[in-house]
Amino acid sequence: MRKIDLIVVHCSATRCDRRFSVEDLIAWHDARFGFTGYHYYITRDGRMYQTRHENLVGAHAVGYNQHSIGVCYEGGLTPDGRPADTRTQEQKAALHALLKSLKVDYPDAQILGHRDLPNVKKDCPCFDAKTEYQNL
């Protein structure tokens, strides 16, 4: 079993007015990494999918994959392609519930947005996950 001390929140960096299904995510990661890099994916309707077993190292945060869980929500870009918090109410509820559950399993894990990691030059997840989930 891996020692998990970090839960990293991501967005798919896809436009909020275009569907990016779990199948799309899996195909994109398969082409890029040969496997799905995120452990969980939450679509706009609030459905949560486990896309990689937690015991397996992901591919979502360079330098942190060995000891982290990657959680991604569908969206993160406005219809014209600008970074924004595009989470639906259903996604917010599902993300909160998932992160709360992961904190039960990994009580010492810190929850951060991808952008909060050192040397990351991305807006991902396009909201302040560190502050939003600091009390979980």
Side-chain angles (χ1 to χ4, degrees):
M1 181 126 165
R2 298 187 308 132
K3 166 103 170 96
I4 302 299
D5 62 10
L6 187 60
I7 301 166
V8 184
V9 180
H10 300 266
C11 65
S12 63
T14 54
R15 294 174 191 229
C16 64
D17 62 341
R18 298 179 191 167
R19 186 160 157 65
F20 194 70
S21 69
V22 67
E23 293 84 9
D24 294 331
L25 175 88
I26 290 168
W28 174 54
H29 270 215
D30 268 351
R32 189 170 176 200
F33 305 116
F35 61 89
T36 303
Y38 299 121
H39 295 89
Y40 294 95
Y41 186 59
I42 300 172
T43 53
R44 284 196 299 262
D45 60 5
R47 287 191 189 172
M48 190 270 301
Y49 298 88
Q50 184 169 7
T51 52
R52 186 161 186 79
H53 195 281
E54 291 174 18
N55 286 337
L56 299 174
V57 174
H60 61 91
V62 174
Y64 298 90
N65 291 315
Q66 292 291 336
H67 57 93
S68 67
I69 299 290
V71 176
C72 181
Y73 76 91
E74 177 185 10
L77 299 178
T78 61
D80 63 348
R82 288 179 288 119
D85 182 358
T86 64
R87 292 174 297 159
T88 63
Q89 290 304 315
E90 294 85 1
Q91 281 176 310
K92 287 179 181 181
L95 186 55
H96 186 272
L98 173 60
L99 294 174
K100 190 174 181 180
S101 174
L102 289 171
K103 282 293 284 184
V104 169
D105 295 336
Y106 309 104
D108 297 326
Q110 183 180 20
I111 299 171
L112 295 177
H114 190 193
R115 71 183 190 182
D116 297 318
L117 298 174
N119 302 315
V120 172
K121 307 279 190 263
K122 298 180 178 189
D123 292 312
C124 176
C126 301
F127 73 97
D128 187 356
K130 181 179 180 179
T131 299
E132 187 165 331
Y133 301 117
Q134 67 184 348
N135 294 321
L136 284 184

